[in-house]
Amino acid sequence: AITALECRIGGAYISEINQDAQTGKLSVKSTKSVDFSDVNGTYINCAGMTTPWNSHLGSEEYEPNMRTVDETDAKTTSIAKYNGFTATAANSKYVGYHMGWIPEIKVTSDVGATSVVKHFSMGRAAHELAYVMPDKKTVYLSDDGTNGGLYMFIADVAEDLSAGKLYAAKW
């Protein structure tokens, strides 16, 4: 099970779950943090889903407005410090652009090792939930921000969300 933390700095846990064969009762066998260091951290993780290929597709909400970020911006300086940067406007902007994406978490071993990628091709927004359709290429994306949008992403290759076309609904 993947559990997202909807807070700053953000994060997620992976837990191994046992189920009692008689009662169906679930219990946690082990839990550990997902390592987001390869993608410069994560930020206000929100709703996610298990993809048809058995990875976790999450979301990062409320990305900072990069036109106004400086070294006093608490949203980005906290994650910049977490990633080993000093609090400067340049560092805050650099780290800030790594927020507001769709992270995909893959379990890579039977002991709960994970790998994480952020899908820049799916756009930067206050993502609430990315939902993969049965064709394994079409993904609907919602935006939890003010005056947000509804988007559709169609991957070039099934089960690979690294490239494709992103569409925005207009009404």
Side-chain angles (χ1 to χ4, degrees), residues 20-135:
D20 184 290
Q22 302 283 331
T23 67
K25 182 180 177 181
L26 299 175
S27 61
V28 177
K29 181 177 178 181
S30 64
T31 298
K32 65 182 182 178
S33 296
V34 173
D35 182 1
F36 287 91
S37 61
D38 286 345
V39 293
N40 292 306
T42 189
Y43 190 75
I44 310 180
N45 300 93
C46 198
M49 71 162 297
T50 302
T51 65
W53 52 92
N54 210 29
S55 65
H56 173 82
L57 203 60
S59 53
E60 294 180 313
E61 288 187 308
Y62 310 126
E63 80 292 358
N65 180 344
M66 298 314 295
R67 290 177 290 189
T68 61
V69 167
D70 62 24
E71 65 273 6
T72 64
D73 184 80
K75 290 179 180 179
T76 56
T77 56
S78 61
I79 198 166
K81 289 177 186 176
Y82 177 79
N83 284 297
F85 293 98
T86 56
T88 66
N91 288 341
S92 295
K93 284 188 182 282
Y94 170 77
V95 172
Y97 278 113
H98 287 273
M99 302 172 199
W101 305 100
I102 299 294
E104 183 175 7
I105 302 169
K106 294 180 181 178
V107 179
T108 58
S109 78
D110 58 359
V111 294
T114 57
S115 67
V116 180
V117 296
K118 288 189 181 181
H119 293 297
F120 301 115
S121 58
M122 299 174 94
R124 183 173 180 266
H127 292 291
E128 175 67 24
L129 175 64
Y131 196 86
V132 181
M133 301 310 292
D135 69 358

